[in-house]
Amino acid sequence: MANENYTVKNVEGFIITGFDHLQNQKLLGFLILITYVLILLGNSINLCIILTNRHLQKPMYILICNLAVVDIMFSSTCSTTMISVLLAEIKTVSYYSCISRTYFYHLGDFTECMALTLMAIDRLIAIRLPLRYHSIVTNSRTFLFISLTWLAGFAVIGFVISIVDSVPYCQPVIKYVFCEYASMIRAACVNPEPYFFIPVMISLWPTCGQFPFIMCTYAVLAYSVTKLSNNSSKKQMINTCLSHLIVLLSFYAPKLVSGILTRIGVVLNLTERNAILIVASLVSPLINPAVYCTRTKEIRTRLADVFLTVTVLRFVTTEKCHVAVKKV
């Protein structure tokens, strides 16, 4: 990477200008706010249900908890910036705040890829080796592999962010909608193209390595499910695999669309790039908890029990209040 000659000055913060050309900024801000609240609510409900029920503290549900934590971190790093810009009209982000948001945004992206891979492997072992599943996939091993994915994420993304922190900046303007690697490199006083080589190589692994691998595992799962003689077990396995596929496609679809359009020579303008970026950052964390709440029987049953208990308690409390009022 050549060192270009620029007049560099200290940059204490960045101004987010990606929304400046939009007409209905408040409306978009409210939509992002509502989406973010639903993401927090849905993922928090999943976490609370699983963590408070010992019967659900199994490898598959531990992986769901991990995914929920990743989704909260992933969406929070970008949503808070966009909500601040659109609703509070605070467009300035300090330099170190932008660096940290970029770090955790890409860490969330990396760990989500790894979390989806672990979940695919878990289902593959459960269906292909059902009698040995509980001896192979234990809680301790699940925690170990989750920890390894996070450590790998910290190391890889730390290296990428060190590149962002090392480049000179001479203009405090980010033309995208929040802080992330591409937006910060394009704001630097360098030719951005050489600086995209390493992130592109890293991003090829999930799209060209992990995604095909996960799809192959689900192809094997689909074949295995067709061989099951028990209709009840077959239906349960289909529901579980379908849930995982919906989650998988909601995460990878925007990346694949962006990659395919780039490969066939379609040049996206700034608005289109920002739209894909927002969809990729918010749709998957929104869909994930909804899918697991509605399609996973144990979580759905537990959630129904909680709502039933709350409803009964409210009814009993109301009746006691009415009786007390009558006595008075």
Side-chain angles (χ1 to χ4, degrees), residues 161-176:
I161 297 304
S162 68
I163 298 173
V164 176
D165 193 36
S166 66
V167 297
Y169 293 92
C170 56
Q171 55 136 349
V173 176
I174 287 180
K175 297 179 181 179
Y176 288 72

Side-chain angles (χ1 to χ4, degrees), residues 25-70:
Q25 293 188 21
K26 294 290 185 184
L27 176 60
L28 179 60
F30 278 117
L31 289 175
I32 292 173
L33 176 62
I34 292 169
T35 303
Y36 180 51
V37 170
L38 290 175
I39 289 170
L40 292 180
L41 184 63
N43 285 290
S44 297
I45 288 173
N46 270 355
L47 282 171
C48 290
I49 288 174
I50 294 171
L51 294 176
T52 57
N53 190 337
R54 289 187 178 180
H55 297 293
L56 297 181
Q57 292 174 12
K58 302 173 184 177
M60 187 180 80
Y61 298 103
I62 292 171
L63 291 171
I64 292 175
C65 281
N66 177 51
L67 187 63
V69 171
V70 171

